[in-house]
């Protein structure tokens, strides 16, 4: 098995050794916009990369923005978008002129008519480097860089989780505030219904008291005093008892309406026969539950931020070690730059910063 593995490795090396410079350049141009830029920075860090890294970072993001199909995962943009890119970066040349320069160096064959423009072609023209040298530029230990990439991915995942938790906390807070507002509204409405009911019942009692008082007064007058006064009182009592007591009847109708209104309100909002105190308690319980959920979501968001902050520190420490071991500086710079971007989502208390608007 060891012999088979060695033979496979040998055949792989032979295949790689048979690759031409054009093959390697084509492979480079088939990488994502970002990976093309990192390859360039690794190959020319001391002479070009370090002083132009931020500008190349912007180039990558412009390419990704113009690549409306694949964005960050794209490898090239079409000629129309390439012309737009050149306008944005204020370069006074055309795509055809750039390709003519590349054909003169052999980077593009004389008969080749590519429809797509990779970032590598622009970087070759922009900085005037040898395309063969770029295609064969050393890139360092793939294993170490893969580990750094995985750490960055872990940071990005942690930030995505923190952002999700923060969104949940914000939604829970809005829900709690809405519930509290509804509870206050319920209490106000029920308090008004209760006041209306009490006023109606009070009016009924006042009208009943007045009616009963008049009845008792006439009864006494019909039983006491002289014959004339008693007969007069009896007539008045008969009229009093026989007439329609409109104020009392109206008060009772108003009271019945208030009772029905209160019962309907309770049945609609609580689905049970209730009193004002029950309605207030139910609304308050809902608001309290929503507030508790909001606090739990806030704590989860804080924990997610702590995790993201810890992962940022681990990644920064690892990149510093990798830098000291002589890992490709272009890749290290890019990872540090992405970490810096990620830290914009952290609060200042956790090492974050406020991102400036361009």
């Amino acid at each position: 098995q060891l012999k088979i593995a060695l033979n496979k490795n040998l055949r792989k090396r032979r295949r790689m050794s048979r690759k031409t410079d054009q093959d390697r350049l084509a492979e480079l141009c088939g990488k994502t916009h970002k990976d093309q830029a990192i390859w360039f920075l690794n190959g020319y860090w001391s002479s070009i990369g370090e002083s132009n890294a931020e500008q190349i970072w912007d180039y990558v993001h412009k390419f990704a923005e113009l690549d409306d199909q694949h964005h960050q995962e794209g490898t090239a943009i079409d000629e129309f978008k390439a012309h737009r890119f050149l306008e944005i970066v204020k370069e006074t040349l055309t795509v055809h002129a750039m390709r003519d320069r590349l054909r003169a160096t052999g980077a593009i064959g004389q008969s080749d008519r590519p429809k797509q423009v990779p970032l590598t072609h622009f970087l070759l023209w922009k900085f005037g480097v040898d395309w063969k040298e770029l295609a064969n530029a050393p890139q360092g230990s793939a294993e170490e860089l893969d580990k750094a990439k995985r750490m960055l991915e872990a940071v990005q995942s942690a930030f995505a989780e923190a952002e999700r938790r923060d969104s949940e906390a914000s939604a829970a807070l809005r829900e709690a505030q809405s519930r509290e507002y509804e509870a206050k509204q319920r209490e106000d409405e029920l308090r008004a219904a209760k006041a209306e009911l009490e006023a109606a019942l009070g009016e009924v009692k006042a009208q009943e008291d007045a009616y009963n008082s008049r009845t008792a007064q006439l009864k006494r007058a019909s039983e006491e005093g002289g014959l004339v006064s008693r007969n007069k009182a009896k007539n008045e009592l008969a009229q009093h008892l026989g007439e329609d007591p409109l104020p009392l009847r109206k008060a009772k109708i108003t009271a019945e309406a208030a009772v029905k209104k209160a019962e309907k309100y309770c049945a609609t909002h609580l689905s049970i026969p209730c009193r004002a105190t029950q309605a207030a308690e139910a609304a308050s319980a809902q608001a309290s539950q929503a507030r508790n959920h909001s606090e739990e979501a806030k704590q989860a968001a804080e924990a997610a931020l702590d995790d993201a902050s810890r992962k940022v520190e681990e990644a920064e420490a690892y990149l510093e070690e990798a830098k000291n071991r002589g890992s490709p500086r272009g890749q290290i710079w890019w990872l540090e730059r992405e970490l810096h971007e990620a830290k914009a989502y952290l609060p200042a208390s956790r090492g974050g910063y406020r991102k400036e608007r361009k």
Side-chain angles (χ1 to χ4, degrees):
Q1 289 181 347
L2 178 60
K3 185 176 180 180
I4 293 171
L6 290 172
N7 287 335
K8 283 184 178 179
N9 191 37
L10 181 61
R11 286 195 296 272
K12 183 179 179 181
R13 287 184 178 180
R14 284 174 179 171
R15 285 196 302 272
M16 291 179 65
S17 66
R18 288 197 294 268
K19 286 182 180 178
T20 66
D21 293 333
Q22 283 284 2
D23 292 335
R24 292 190 177 90
L25 181 63
E27 285 185 3
L28 172 57
C29 292
K31 294 179 180 294
T32 63
H33 311 306
K34 181 179 82 171
D35 287 343
Q36 290 179 53
I38 291 172
W39 185 286
F40 184 90
L41 290 174
N42 284 340
Y44 296 96
W45 180 254
S46 299
S47 58
I48 299 172
E50 186 171 10
S51 57
N52 292 280
E54 194 65 36
Q55 187 178 28
I56 293 173
W57 168 275
D58 289 338
Y59 291 159
V60 167
H61 286 80
K62 291 298 181 187
F63 257 66
E65 182 181 330
L66 290 167
D67 190 348
D68 50 16
Q69 283 190 319
H70 305 290
H71 304 289
Q72 292 89 344
E73 299 304 315
T75 60
I77 55 178
D78 63 37
E79 288 189 2
F80 177 79
K81 292 186 175 68
H83 280 294
R84 178 73 186 119
F85 169 79
L86 293 172
E87 291 175 3
I88 292 171
V89 299
K90 296 180 171 54
E91 292 291 352
T92 57
L93 84 157
T94 65
V95 172
H96 294 295
M98 182 176 69
R99 282 178 174 161
D100 288 342
R101 178 86 66 85
L102 295 177
R103 284 193 183 91
T105 65
I108 297 177
Q110 293 298 325
S111 60
D112 290 344
R113 296 292 183 271
K115 299 296 183 184
Q116 299 288 309
V117 180
L119 180 62
T120 294
H121 284 183
F122 173 73
L123 296 177
L124 284 170
W125 171 85
K126 174 70 177 176
F127 297 104
V129 300
D130 184 274
W131 68 270
K132 294 180 182 178
E133 187 178 69
L134 175 62
N136 292 280
Q139 296 297 306
S141 169
E143 183 179 349
E144 186 170 80
L145 294 179
D146 285 344
K147 181 178 179 181
K149 286 180 180 178
R150 287 194 300 272
M151 293 187 78
L152 178 63
E153 287 169 1
V155 168
Q156 291 169 335
S157 296
F159 275 111
E161 176 65 11
E163 190 172 1
R164 185 180 71 81
R165 292 290 188 177
D166 183 63
S167 296
E168 287 181 357
S170 297
L173 178 59
R174 288 194 298 271
E175 175 68 12
Q177 291 171 338
S178 175
R179 290 290 185 182
E180 287 167 350
Y181 174 77
E182 288 177 7
K184 176 68 167 56
Q185 204 170 29
R186 295 276 193 277
E187 289 174 359
D188 290 345
E189 290 171 354
L190 284 168
R191 192 178 294 110
K194 183 182 178 182
E196 184 180 347
L197 178 59
E198 288 175 348
L201 291 174
E203 180 62 20
V204 169
K205 187 177 185 305
Q207 291 298 329
E208 283 182 338
D209 288 347
Y211 183 82
N212 293 335
S213 176
R214 178 60 176 163
T215 301
Q217 180 185 6
L218 290 173
K219 279 184 177 181
R220 282 196 304 272
S222 68
E223 295 170 354
E224 299 173 356
L227 179 62
V228 175
S229 63
R230 288 200 307 271
N231 288 336
K232 181 182 178 183
K234 286 178 182 179
N235 288 332
E236 289 180 359
L237 177 61
Q239 290 177 4
H240 171 69
L241 294 175
E243 70 184 6
D244 182 12
L246 181 61
L248 176 59
R249 183 159 55 86
K250 183 179 178 181
K252 286 183 176 180
I253 291 171
T254 302
E256 287 173 2
V259 169
K260 287 180 180 179
K261 183 177 178 181
E263 288 176 348
K264 181 180 178 182
Y265 184 87
C266 290
T268 300
H269 294 288
L270 297 179
S271 301
I272 55 171
C274 68
R275 296 178 181 176
T277 53
Q278 290 174 309
E281 287 171 2
S284 178
Q286 290 176 341
S288 178
Q289 186 178 8
R291 176 63 69 175
N292 289 339
H293 178 61
S294 170
E295 290 299 321
E296 290 170 2
K298 182 180 178 182
Q299 290 173 7
E302 291 289 328
L305 273 177
D306 287 339
D307 182 55
S309 180
R310 185 170 57 255
K311 283 184 168 59
V312 166
E313 291 175 0
E314 291 171 357
E316 286 178 331
Y318 180 79
L319 288 176
E320 194 62 35
E321 291 174 6
K323 195 186 299 182
N324 294 333
R325 286 194 296 269
S327 295
R329 295 300 300 273
Q331 176 74 72
I332 297 299
W333 181 90
W334 200 276
L335 292 171
E336 288 180 330
R337 186 66 174 78
E338 289 183 323
L339 274 177
H340 178 73
E341 286 290 304
K343 286 170 69 175
Y345 295 96
L346 282 175
S349 60
R350 289 183 172 86
Y353 68 98
R354 183 179 294 277
K355 196 171 182 179
E356 294 182 2
R357 294 182 178 178
K358 292 187 177 181

